[in-house]
Amino acid sequence: MTPMSDLAEALLARAVASFEAGAPALDAIAKDFQAQIGQGLAGEGGSLKMLRTFTRQPTGRERGRVVVVDWGGTKARAGLVELAGGGSVRIVVEEALTFPEAMKRGAPEPVFDLIAGAVGRVTRARGVDAAPLAFVYSYPARLERIDRAVALVSTKGWRLQGLVGRDVAAMLTAGLGRAGLARITLAAVANDTVAALILQSYQARGRDPETRPTDIGLILGTGTNLAADLGPAGIRNLESGNFDGVGGVETPYDVALDRELDEPPPGAQRFEKMVSGHYLGEILRRALVDLGARTGWFHWSSSSVIAAPFALDSAYLSRIADDRTAALDDVDALLRSLGVESTRHERHGLRALGAAIARRAARLVAAVLFGTLRFVDPRLDDRRTIAVDGSLWGGYPGFEGLVRAALVELLGRERADRVETAFVKDSTSAGAAVIAAVAAAQRSEGCSSA
Ligand code: GLC
């Protein structure tokens, strides 16, 4: 080893260690999160929005055919979903849409027109002329009814002009009108976290009506957020990506990322910026640039993936973690495809950094789950279910294991064993359809009791 690589090793080890989030820090985060849930519900401010959802737990017997729109990231989907009761759900047809980058900062109407166009194609292809529609809008929105959602400041890099304060349900309805689809009528708006929660309840209770409903719906994908059934307060969308109690485990990389990004602005979405797929690759990229400047390693700026913000996709983290070969051959192949020649030491360093960033994300997730569970059930006596969806949970090798290990540290083995995590893959459209069916039942009860 040369003195130069000794220095690199030492600085790398220090960077890796800076992503440690020990049990005491997680415990403090959980307490803060729990307290902020109470604060948000009481209308006393704090970083958790605790948004109302106007839906309730399904029975598992819901039926019907529902058009769904899922808009929550760079991609959106329009589809047709059939619920046959007994927890059964079938996606009949689905079309994915991608938004040009420029659209994210333009006027809202073109976005709704693009979505309405896709709704037109999927419904016409199936000869559906009239149907209820469920709209999953996975950005912050203040619901005033099940079919009215006033947009708050967006997340995940979107900033449509003049959107804040407007009802996104009415805007979609207008788009459907412009597309000649006036008989496709918006029945419900929901967040993706709520769709995950409701779908898991529907499937579990459909199979066994005695099953307790799901407590938490968690998304770990491009963004992160959770919804929870808070009993008398109903099912709430916490917008937990905005949780700000993370100062104790921030590294200089996180601080700089938060400060330098204009969308979401500094101080907003601080939890999400340390946890979700949209950001993990960027944290790693920043660490590599920093170590590249201070050591003889990682002089990789010839690659645009290292040079350009947000070019290092979080999916690479999963691929890097997956390589178990001694010389990290697949990491080598990946780097070469990105125009980077690397040494074995550098590849191991890269892998260690990526693993530390993902591990911290998993542990932070465990902390906020713990905080939520304790709010729901202070002694954690009962069995609890958490429905989880998203590319990070589904795609990063061992992510679930990391979350569970941290839960065991925080709750103890016995209580952690009472907490089930259920992966509900591709839950959004299916869950939305259930929410629309629940809304239809609520409406007909409302009518008959009126
Ligand atoms: C962002 C959105 C939130 C959504 C989450 C996961 O945090 O603000 O509404 O649930 O991403 O998609």
Side-chain angles (χ1 to χ4, degrees):
M1 283 261 166
T2 63
M4 196 57 191
S5 64
D6 280 351
L7 173 72
E9 283 287 0
L11 291 179
L12 172 72
R14 198 190 294 167
V16 166
S18 71
F19 290 104
E20 265 303 307
L26 296 184
D27 206 56
I29 289 171
K31 283 207 175 72
D32 186 10
F33 196 83
Q34 182 184 352
Q36 290 206 35
I37 292 178
Q39 211 184 325
L41 282 179
E44 290 164 2
S47 63
L48 297 175
K49 297 195 172 70
M50 307 307 303
L51 300 163
R52 298 177 68 188
T53 64
F54 294 90
T55 191
R56 65 173 188 212
Q57 295 282 1
T59 59
R61 294 189 300 272
E62 288 74 10
R63 290 173 165 274
R65 190 170 60 169
V66 182
V67 176
V68 292
V69 166
D70 163 18
W71 172 24
T74 29
K75 280 213 166 96
R77 290 194 181 104
L80 189 63
V81 177
E82 255 170 30
L83 304 173
S88 128
V89 49
R90 185 167 78 92
I91 312 274
V92 180
V93 52
E94 202 166 50
E95 181 187 311
L97 289 170
T98 30
F99 300 105
E101 206 45 43
M103 211 179 234
K104 295 186 179 173
R105 284 163 185 251
E109 283 75 15
V111 176
F112 288 100
D113 285 337
L114 201 74
I115 294 173
V119 170
R121 284 189 295 280
V122 298
T123 50
R124 286 189 190 112
R126 294 287 152 162
V128 174
D129 160 58
L133 179 145
F135 178 21
V136 181
Y137 177 76
S138 300
Y139 303 95
R142 195 172 299 286
L143 268 66
E144 294 178 348
R145 292 192 316 238
I146 186 71
D147 57 356
R148 187 175 159 78
V150 176
L152 302 173
V153 175
S154 288
T155 47
K156 297 179 279 196
W158 284 80
R159 182 164 41 179
L160 295 174
Q161 290 161 17
L163 184 77
V164 173
R166 293 179 70 186
D167 174 14
V168 294
M171 294 182 85
L172 179 58
T173 298
L176 293 169
R178 288 193 294 275
L181 299 165
R183 300 186 63 207
I184 308 293
T185 49
L186 192 139
V189 194
N191 189 260
D192 52 0
T193 54
V194 183
L197 185 158
I198 295 289
L199 179 66
Q200 172 63 24
S201 279
Y202 170 75
Q203 290 180 329
R205 303 182 96 185
R207 284 190 295 267
D208 173 7
E210 299 302 308
T211 310
R212 274 186 38 98
T214 304
D215 300 280
I216 294 175
L218 169 68
I219 300 288
L220 272 169
T222 308
T224 184
N225 182 16
L226 66 85
D229 186 343
L230 300 177
I235 299 171
R236 297 286 181 129
N237 166 14
L238 276 64
E239 284 295 333
S240 56
N242 194 49
F243 177 58
D244 63 2
V246 287
V249 290
E250 265 177 345
T251 66
Y253 306 121
D254 303 297
V255 174
L257 190 155
D258 177 46
R259 202 177 42 222
E260 290 163 21
L261 212 63
D262 62 342
E263 212 51 65
Q269 301 298 110
R270 279 173 68 199
F271 181 79
E272 184 161 87
K273 284 170 181 164
M274 294 166 78
V275 166
S276 80
H278 188 56
Y279 302 98
L280 295 189
E282 174 62 8
I283 300 173
L284 174 59
R285 192 194 67 82
R286 283 167 176 266
L288 292 172
V289 169
D290 173 52
L291 291 169
R294 294 193 292 141
T295 72
W297 289 10
F298 308 123
H299 286 185
W300 296 347
S301 55
S302 60
S303 166
S304 61
V305 163
I306 302 301
F310 285 93
L312 205 162
D313 198 302
S314 295
Y316 295 143
L317 256 81
S318 303
R319 187 162 157 198
I320 293 166
D322 237 347
D323 187 351
R324 309 270 152 78
T325 63
L328 299 180
D329 301 325
D330 186 50
V331 175
D332 190 23
L334 170 68
L335 289 172
R336 279 177 198 281
S337 74
L338 300 172
V340 170
E341 294 271 341
S342 61
T343 66
R344 188 170 162 155
H345 285 303
E346 288 174 318
R347 292 196 292 279
H348 278 283
L350 168 68
R351 191 164 185 274
L353 276 172
I357 293 167
R359 181 179 147 86
R360 184 187 64 172
R363 295 175 67 81
L364 285 171
V365 167
V368 302
L369 288 175
F370 181 34
T372 312
L373 290 169
R374 218 168 28 189
F375 184 89
V376 172
D377 175 6
R379 293 173 19 161
L380 295 166
D381 283 336
D382 287 331
R383 298 197 75 79
R384 299 286 163 186
T385 308
I386 302 164
V388 197
D389 196 3
S391 49
L392 191 58
W393 185 273
Y396 187 89
F399 201 86
E400 176 173 4
L402 290 168
V403 175
R404 291 218 62 99
L407 283 175
V408 171
E409 275 177 56
L410 293 169
L411 281 73
R413 164 75 58 194
E414 201 185 314
R415 290 188 302 170
D417 281 349
R418 289 200 285 266
V419 178
E420 183 201 350
T421 41
F423 181 35
V424 276
K425 195 169 177 324
D426 298 328
S427 59
T428 309
S429 299
V434 180
I435 293 169
V438 170
Q442 279 168 307
R443 258 193 290 269
S444 64
E445 281 163 26
C447 290
S448 54
S449 65

